[in-house]
Amino acid sequence: MAAVGNLARAMSPLEFRALEALANSNVWLISAGGENHDILDAARHAFLSGAHSVTAIVASRQSKLSDLVEQHESGRVITLELTCGKDGFLATNSLWGTCLLLVRAFRAVFSSAERGVEAPDAQAMITWARNAVTEQFKPCSNLVLIGDPSTLVGARDLTMRAEEAALASIWATDLRNLGHGRHYWFAAHGRNACAYFLVSEEYTGFANKCAELIGTGSPATVVTIPGDSDSRMLSAIAFSLYAAGALGAHIRRDPGRPGVPKFGESLYNLRMPYQERAASYDREQRIIAAKLGMAPTDALLERDAYEQWKLHLRGFEERLRGASVRALIFDYDGTLIDTTRRFEPLAAPIVEELIRVLNAGQTVGIATGRGDSCGEALRAALPKHLWAKVTIGYYNGSLIRRLDDTSFLEKEASEQIMNVRRRIEDIAPSGRRASIRTYEKQCSVTFYDGRSVEQGWMEVSAVLASLIDNQMVKVWKSSHSVDIVLSDVSKTAVVDAIAQQLGCTVENIVCIGDQGRWPGNDTELLGNPLSLSADRCSFTPDRCWNLAGFPRRQLASTLAQLRLFDGGPGRPFAYRGELSE
């Protein structure tokens, strides 16, 4: 949260499974072994509820969780190998390794620190924690831990360890909440309660004043944790690990091997009764839900407008069945490749589908905000003899070339685009917090400071309001950036070029993109009659439907919808009907 300014919430698998609306959520699943059925159920719920992306961080090279997440295009797996051995009853090595990995990753992307947390730094934190516990921590059966914003994580971690291994009665709070009623604990328990302040140097003075007041009736100790914010968080967790060991030694119980009673094993293996809501709705219900941009619910289906949407859907499908399809035009990011994987090669399933479409005699068009990185990716994926059948509209259609034309010439940004850049730099200076890229007729902005694409689009639109009002530029949002193009630029230029090439009309061309709802950058492309959306649909009833239905989105949706079409030698390429589940 501190790195990008976005709120994140940690919760148990049971809490998570109670959430219904995950369409705009990025979900992280963190597990030591990736085998527990609760985390596996949470992963299934994330995918079935339409999460934007699902990332599993697993402290094991192979696991059921990794296998499950890797089956989905919107899933990503990060594994780490614990060279120091597996956990015991409590998560120790896996927790430390995962936290260290996360801090290193966030420092690499967001931090202004000149270096990451290297092995000697981590060892220094462990050494500090071991010494601090030895010198300052005296086990107590009634313990209160008080932290500050960067150290409270260690206090809460020790609370959970004490609960799980029955080491002591512990609760945690922060320096200010302590003064809001929680101080009464010490008045009630006197010298039977102990207070430990885990604080940064900047809070030590305040902590000393609090400890002095509490110390009149209860033992109170201030432990100052050194280092920057990241180091203090890690050191606080290391302190918790060693403090748990000290508490266990005090009562002669090994926290790593406390002994699990038989009923405990039975409790662990119990399965929660649970029904995936999205799976209980039929195909048309899930398609209409995707059209409206929401999860299917009984409330949605009870609306008076639902029956009308059903008629619109059936009319659209009937028109698709009757169409003589000559070409398919795709957006790239969010359509042919998931946004979270946009720096990776095209996945094998979509390459196979593109080859199938081309071998069926179809012309393929690509309408992308990218430059030649799109052409390079397609040339790396498709057989060379098919390149001539692919036409690409680079930079949102401002430059149109066949895939076999490798004479890509990057032109300098026009003065109008440079004027756009100067205005945007007032709200988003290019650097670690934003990236501004200019081309002849396009300026693209990616925010790294926590602003959503929607918020970024609103702010850019406000800065460029006079240019928009005078119809000099258009401002679109993609799945990951804000694109500003000159008013004569449109992805529909690719549609026009292919229609002219084939001597057909737009009624013979199927367009597929992921951002069909204004101000998405596929709004104009998916305004064509035979248009399909891989994610956000417009509310126009006779076009721009996601026939894969909720919760399929992005590449998974594109693949599912392409498989609704079939054709080949002697058979016209056409829409064949319902998706096989």
Side-chain angles (χ1 to χ4, degrees):
M1 183 183 76
V4 298
N6 283 340
L7 290 174
R9 181 184 171 192
M11 62 183 71
S12 71
L14 179 60
E15 291 177 286
F16 177 71
R17 288 187 355 182
L19 300 179
E20 294 186 34
L22 297 175
N24 295 315
S25 301
N26 296 302
V27 177
W28 285 15
L29 304 166
I30 301 177
S31 176
E35 301 292 324
N36 178 267
H37 55 72
D38 291 321
I39 198 70
L40 296 175
D41 286 344
R44 295 185 187 98
H45 177 71
F47 290 115
L48 286 171
S49 298
H52 182 269
S53 68
V54 180
T55 301
I57 302 176
V58 191
S60 176
R61 290 297 183 189
Q62 292 183 321
S63 67
K64 292 179 181 178
L65 179 60
S66 297
D67 293 342
L68 172 59
V69 172
E70 286 177 338
Q71 293 174 13
H72 299 266
E73 294 299 332
S74 60
R76 180 180 295 272
V77 175
I78 300 171
T79 61
L80 58 150
E81 187 172 0
L82 299 174
T83 57
C84 51
K86 294 183 178 181
D87 296 326
F89 181 74
L90 298 178
T92 51
N93 296 337
S94 64
L95 176 72
W96 178 254
T98 301
C99 291
L100 192 58
L101 174 71
L102 291 174
V103 168
R104 285 175 174 171
F106 273 89
R107 276 205 178 197
V109 177
F110 299 108
S111 175
S112 58
E114 295 182 358
R115 56 192 296 272
V117 180
E118 306 299 336
D121 304 311
Q123 185 58 53
M125 296 172 199
I126 292 172
T127 300
W128 172 86
R130 182 173 57 244
N131 293 339
V133 169
T134 300
E135 297 169 6
Q136 295 184 270
F137 185 75
K138 294 182 179 179
C140 172
S141 60
N142 187 341
L143 198 59
V144 180
L145 302 171
I146 304 104
D148 63 40
S150 62
T151 64
L152 192 58
V153 61
R156 288 172 174 158
D157 183 66
L158 184 54
T159 300
M160 290 185 287
R161 292 179 186 283
E163 290 173 352
E164 289 189 39
L167 302 175
S169 172
I170 302 180
W171 56 272
T173 188
D174 67 45
L175 282 167
R176 279 314 297 141
N177 272 340
L178 176 66
H180 291 269
R182 289 157 183 83
H183 51 76
Y184 189 74
W185 186 266
F186 299 103
H189 292 271
R191 304 205 66 80
N192 291 323
C194 303
Y196 280 89
F197 292 81
L198 305 180
V199 293
S200 314
E201 186 174 348
E202 61 184 298
Y203 290 102
T204 298
F206 187 84
N208 282 332
K209 292 179 181 178
C210 294
E212 184 178 348
L213 293 169
I214 291 173
T216 57
S218 303
T221 303
V222 175
V223 180
T224 301
I225 303 180
D228 60 20
S229 178
D230 294 335
S231 300
R232 293 194 298 268
M233 285 190 285
L234 289 170
S235 296
I237 292 171
F239 183 93
S240 167
L241 299 178
Y242 282 102
L247 288 170
H250 180 66
I251 61 173
R252 297 182 180 180
R253 178 180 300 143
D254 182 355
R257 297 179 181 82
V260 180
K262 188 173 181 59
F263 77 88
E265 291 184 10
S266 299
L267 284 172
Y268 178 84
N269 290 312
L270 283 178
R271 297 295 299 270
M272 285 291 297
Y274 178 70
Q275 180 182 9
E276 292 292 352
R277 298 175 181 85
S280 64
Y281 295 99
D282 66 28
R283 173 181 176 270
E284 286 189 331
Q285 292 168 340
R286 286 184 282 112
I287 291 175
I288 292 170
K291 177 71 169 175
L292 301 178
M294 58 184 68
T297 62
D298 293 340
L300 168 67
L301 305 180
E302 290 167 2
R303 293 182 183 180
D304 293 338
Y306 173 73
E307 291 300 322
Q308 192 63 42
W309 278 113
K310 188 184 293 187
L311 294 176
H312 290 313
L313 169 59
R314 292 174 181 177
F316 176 73
E317 287 196 278
E318 191 61 33
R319 204 165 71 254
L320 264 184
R321 287 189 185 92
S324 175
V325 180
R326 301 282 304 281
L328 289 89
I329 298 177
F330 302 88
D331 168 51
Y332 191 81
D333 291 298
T335 303
L336 294 182
I337 191 167
D338 266 34
T339 303
T340 57
R341 297 180 181 271
R342 63 185 182 276
F343 301 115
E344 301 176 13
L346 287 169
I350 193 61
V351 173
E352 292 171 3
E353 283 300 306
L354 290 174
I355 292 173
R356 179 180 72 87
V357 168
L358 290 164
N359 285 336
Q362 296 297 297
T363 294
V364 165
I366 308 293
T368 178
R370 291 194 188 204
D372 198 38
S373 64
C374 174
E376 290 174 350
L378 286 164
R379 284 189 288 271
L382 298 176
K384 192 170 184 178
H385 71 275
L386 295 176
W387 292 359
K389 299 177 68 175
V390 179
T391 297
I392 304 180
Y394 299 103
Y395 302 128
N396 283 290
S398 64
L399 177 66
I400 297 179
R401 294 283 189 276
R402 277 193 346 192
L403 183 58
D404 60 351
D405 182 353
T406 58
S407 59
F408 190 91
L409 181 63
E410 188 80 66
K411 293 185 180 181
E412 291 185 0
S414 65
E415 179 54 35
Q416 291 168 291
I417 289 297
M418 291 309 297
N419 179 33
V420 166
R421 180 186 182 114
R422 287 189 289 270
R423 294 191 184 201
I424 293 173
E425 283 181 334
D426 290 338
I427 62 167
S430 191
R432 294 184 70 89
R433 293 300 187 179
S435 169
I436 304 177
R437 304 168 303 285
T438 54
Y439 312 100
E440 182 186 9
K441 295 185 176 183
Q442 175 177 315
C443 178
S444 295
V445 187
T446 304
F447 295 96
Y448 302 123
D449 59 358
R451 275 178 281 196
S452 65
V453 177
E454 287 76 11
Q455 182 182 352
W457 176 86
M458 287 189 290
E459 294 181 10
V460 168
S461 296
V463 169
L464 302 178
S466 62
L467 301 180
I468 297 169
D469 291 343
N470 291 319
Q471 298 184 345
M472 298 175 67
V473 300
K474 294 180 283 190
V475 183
W476 302 117
K477 68 178 187 68
S478 72
S479 53
H480 63 280
S481 67
V482 177
D483 290 343
I484 304 94
V485 298
L486 299 185
S487 57
D488 63 342
V489 172
S490 175
K491 287 188 175 184
T492 58
V494 186
V495 181
D496 296 338
I498 289 180
Q500 183 177 10
Q501 172 192 333
L502 298 177
C504 66
T505 72
V506 295
E507 297 281 354
N508 305 114
I509 299 175
V510 173
C511 300
I512 307 178
D514 70 307
Q515 295 291 317
R517 182 176 302 174
W518 185 89
N521 66 346
D522 296 317
T523 298
E524 294 175 332
L525 179 68
L526 302 191
N528 282 288
L530 302 183
S531 55
L532 302 170
S533 178
D535 194 352
R536 301 197 176 194
C537 305
S538 71
F539 292 121
T540 307
D542 65 345
R543 62 199 65 197
C544 195
W545 285 82
N546 178 358
L547 298 180
F550 183 91
R552 291 187 180 95
R553 55 186 300 277
Q554 296 206 349
L555 179 54
S557 173
T558 302
L559 287 168
Q561 294 186 91
L562 276 179
R563 290 163 184 159
L564 296 172
F565 292 82
D566 194 17
R571 289 187 302 128
F573 194 82
Y575 178 72
R576 301 298 178 187
E578 290 196 8
L579 184 71
S580 59
E581 296 295 338

